[in-house]
Amino acid sequence: MNYDPKKFVFSFFGTPIVGYADGTGIEFTRDRDMFTKVVGMQGSGTFVKSNDKSGTFTITLQQSSPSNDQLSAIALLDETANAGVGGVLLKDALGATAISSAEARIMKFPDFTVATDLSNNAWGIACLDVDVFIAGNP
């Protein structure tokens, strides 16, 4: 098996994002479970399917990453001209893992800190209708 975090490519608006912080650089979470379990008082139950395929990426970049400039420009364009919805893709070049959405947007600027050490910027990117395939590495 092979695993190399450098082989994961994340792009937003067709632009590869670079300069991830040490540790967890990219995280994806589905906003809702695929099914909800409903059980009545006598113990009978059913599963109710959710059609909500939305999710959120959190990408954590070093303060020195040039991708902060790109993401800030997209966020400003969206804030001023409502033109910040674009595609997002996370792909593992060594395996088959792929997570993508044609409709994604930055919901807010990251919290920002000035400190004696280099800080990180955590960007939240909300997505609609996300396709998810989580695979192993050969």
Side-chain angles (χ1 to χ4, degrees), residues 75-87:
L76 281 173
L77 180 65
D78 201 16
E79 189 172 52
T80 58
N82 197 26
V85 176

Side-chain angles (χ1 to χ4, degrees), residues 59-127:
I59 56 172
T60 305
L61 303 179
Q62 296 173 338
Q63 193 171 10
S64 58
S65 169
S67 291
N68 287 305
D69 296 3
Q70 297 163 327
L71 295 173
S72 286
I74 293 168
L76 281 173
L77 180 65
D78 201 16
E79 189 172 52
T80 58
N82 197 26
V85 176
V88 66
L89 170 66
L90 173 64
K91 176 76 177 104
D92 180 1
L94 292 179
T97 294
I99 304 172
S100 65
S101 173
E103 296 180 87
R105 84 179 335 142
I106 296 168
M107 298 302 286
K108 69 174 190 138
F109 284 94
D111 295 338
F112 184 76
T113 302
V114 176
T116 57
D117 292 324
L118 188 67
S119 297
N120 296 327
N121 296 320
W123 293 87
I125 300 175
C127 308

Side-chain angles (χ1 to χ4, degrees), residues 10-78:
F10 182 86
S11 65
F12 184 44
F13 270 78
T15 302
I17 303 300
V18 297
Y20 295 97
D22 190 28
T24 303
I26 305 169
E27 182 178 4
F28 175 76
T29 304
R30 265 277 169 88
D31 291 338
R32 193 171 296 219
D33 291 343
M34 293 183 294
F35 294 89
T36 302
K37 177 180 63 174
V38 179
V39 179
M41 70 178 218
Q42 294 181 323
S44 63
T46 191
F47 291 100
V48 179
K49 183 179 184 325
S50 171
N51 292 306
D52 180 353
K53 290 177 54 181
S54 65
T56 302
F57 279 102
T58 302
I59 56 172
T60 305
L61 303 179
Q62 296 173 338
Q63 193 171 10
S64 58
S65 169
S67 291
N68 287 305
D69 296 3
Q70 297 163 327
L71 295 173
S72 286
I74 293 168
L76 281 173
L77 180 65
D78 201 16

